[in-house]
């Protein structure tokens, strides 16, 4: 709970939204881990609010899939099984591939320039958090051009749900190198106005991520352990 600290809630934001935003940020940045208990009293004290907005915020995050509320365990950061992770990525491949295909005809020169600049900054940064944020901006900049707000909202929700699980994997230099090659293929397809290739490259990019996460999360077999 250390990352949570009292800050004045913006005037345009309710206390529920303020608490939800603080918890969501802590989960997405990996400060709060999957399975970690979320104590309402502790959160309320840390954020300087009553329990009521904390309770409402946890319900909101549960609806987003970031928190699980159990009758006896209380609220915890959502845990995903390998099967659930695969299912979410199956949905992401379909939705994000579609978004890329719809976006390509609408990508103007200004947006393509922005995408090239994002990739340049990703090449230059050594900060994992900065790279992850730029990675989000790259894909979001493409999908946003599709002008399908409901599709974009679904994509963002699924990205958030899996963020705590993939953060450590995509922070590694090895992943970032291969991901950049994939990003460039996606951008090249966008520049050529090749919607079908942009869709395929996006789908393959996402498949590579989930494959890597699942492989890296498997227990290491010790000598003499039956396979």
């Amino acid at each position: 709970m250390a990352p949570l600290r009292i800050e004045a809630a913006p005037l345009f934001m309710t206390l529920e939204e303020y608490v939800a935003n603080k918890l969501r940020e802590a989960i997405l940045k990996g400060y709060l881990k999957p399975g970690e208990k979320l104590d309402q009293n502790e959160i309320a004290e840390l954020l300087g609010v009553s329990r009521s907005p904390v309770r409402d915020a946890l319900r909101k995050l549960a609806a987003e899939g970031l928190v699980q509320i159990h009758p006896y365990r209380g609220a915890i950061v959502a845990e995903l099984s390998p099967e659930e992770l695969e299912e979410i990525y199956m949905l992401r491949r379909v939705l994000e591939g579609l978004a890329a295909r719809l976006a390509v005809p609408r990508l103007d020169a200004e947006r393509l320039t922005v995408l090239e600049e994002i990739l340049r900054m990703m090449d230059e940064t050594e900060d994992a958090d900065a790279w992850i944020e730029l990675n989000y901006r790259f894909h979001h900049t493409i999908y946003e051009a599709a002008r399908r707000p409901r599709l974009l909202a679904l994509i963002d929700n699924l990205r958030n749900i899996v963020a705590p699980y993939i953060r450590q994997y995509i922070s590694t230099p090895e992943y970032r190198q291969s991901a950049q090659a994939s990003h460039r293929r996606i951008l090249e397809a966008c520049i050529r106005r090749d919607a079908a290739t942009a869709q395929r490259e996006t789908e393959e990019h996402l498949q590579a991520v989930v494959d890597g996460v699942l492989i890296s999360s498997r227990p290491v077999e010790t000598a003499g352990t039956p396979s």
Side-chain angles (χ1 to χ4, degrees):
M1 297 292 182
L4 300 179
R5 62 184 185 278
I6 296 176
E7 295 175 351
L11 295 177
F12 58 85
M13 188 180 295
T14 66
L15 286 177
E16 174 194 338
E17 292 170 333
Y18 164 69
V19 175
N21 285 349
K22 295 290 287 185
L23 290 172
R24 186 186 298 108
E25 180 183 12
I27 292 170
L28 296 183
K29 289 189 174 181
Y31 300 134
L32 296 173
K33 308 295 184 184
E36 186 169 342
K37 184 174 176 58
L38 301 170
D39 184 274
Q40 292 187 28
N41 292 326
E42 184 180 3
I43 294 169
E45 182 178 353
L46 286 169
L47 295 180
V49 299
S50 67
R51 285 188 56 181
S52 180
V54 174
R55 183 174 60 250
D56 293 339
L58 290 174
R59 289 173 179 165
K60 177 180 177 65
L61 295 178
E64 295 176 13
L66 292 175
V67 166
Q68 295 169 342
I69 300 176
H70 302 280
Y72 302 106
R73 294 177 64 189
I76 64 170
V77 179
E79 297 178 289
L80 295 176
S81 67
E83 293 75 20
E84 289 171 318
L85 196 61
E86 285 185 298
E87 180 183 13
I88 290 172
Y89 265 87
M90 177 182 68
L91 295 171
R92 284 190 64 182
R93 287 197 306 274
V94 172
L95 296 176
E96 296 187 40
L98 173 62
R101 179 168 63 82
L102 294 174
V104 166
R106 297 178 178 272
L107 287 168
D108 56 21
E110 181 180 357
R111 197 177 292 262
L112 291 171
T113 299
V114 169
L115 290 169
E116 291 173 340
E117 176 63 14
I118 291 172
L119 289 188
R120 183 192 65 78
M121 290 189 291
M122 292 173 78
D123 281 336
E124 294 178 356
T125 186
E126 296 182 1
D127 182 275
D129 287 338
W131 193 93
I132 290 172
E133 175 60 27
L134 289 166
N135 178 65
Y136 170 79
R137 283 179 54 194
F138 176 80
H139 293 286
H140 185 83
T141 299
I142 295 174
Y143 305 154
E144 195 175 37
R147 301 179 190 173
R148 295 292 191 275
R150 290 182 179 83
L151 176 59
L152 196 60
L154 288 170
I155 289 170
D156 280 345
N157 178 246
L158 292 173
R159 285 172 62 94
N160 286 346
I161 292 172
V162 299
Y165 286 83
I166 68 169
R167 186 177 185 83
Q168 183 175 358
Y169 174 71
I170 68 175
S171 297
T172 62
E174 295 78 16
Y175 169 77
R176 297 206 299 265
Q177 183 177 4
S178 64
Q180 281 295 81
S182 178
H183 289 150
R184 288 192 178 85
R185 290 194 297 271
I186 293 171
L187 179 56
E188 288 166 4
C190 291
I191 293 171
R192 296 196 310 269
R193 304 296 185 190
D194 188 342
T197 298
Q199 178 177 10
R200 186 185 70 251
E201 291 290 350
T202 298
E203 292 171 351
E204 291 179 357
H205 175 68
L206 290 166
Q207 185 62 53
V209 174
V210 70
D211 287 346
V213 171
L214 291 173
I215 291 172
S216 65
S217 63
R218 288 174 186 166
V220 178
E221 294 184 1
T222 58
T225 302
S227 60

